[in-house]
Amino acid sequence: MQGKITKVLNMKPAEILGMVEEAAGTRMFEERKDKAMKTMTKKDKKVEEIESVSIALCTKVVCTD
């Protein structure tokens, strides 16, 4: 038991946080959140691309009239 306590005391704060998150069961939700954020970022980029193409097409249509 003493060896485990010493190990925890020697851990870096990020390691301790990871251990507590894992024990509390919140790590799974953090991973899901990170995955969702990455997906949202990709979708936002696609929306920006579509908007720029739409603007370019509208400009082209207006310019040719």
Side-chain angles (χ1 to χ4, degrees), residues 15-28:
E15 293 172 329
I16 295 171
L17 178 62
M19 183 181 68
V20 171
E21 287 176 341
E22 192 170 322
T26 59
R27 182 176 295 278
M28 173 182 60

Side-chain angles (χ1 to χ4, degrees), residues 10-49:
N10 290 330
M11 290 175 128
K12 295 178 183 175
E15 293 172 329
I16 295 171
L17 178 62
M19 183 181 68
V20 171
E21 287 176 341
E22 192 170 322
T26 59
R27 182 176 295 278
M28 173 182 60
F29 297 109
E30 283 294 322
E31 290 171 357
R32 286 184 184 174
K33 178 184 168 187
D34 292 341
K35 184 177 178 182
M37 293 299 287
K38 287 178 184 176
T39 300
M40 287 175 54
T41 301
K42 288 179 184 177
K43 299 295 181 184
D44 285 342
K45 287 180 183 178
K46 288 286 187 183
V47 168
E48 289 175 12
E49 288 176 25

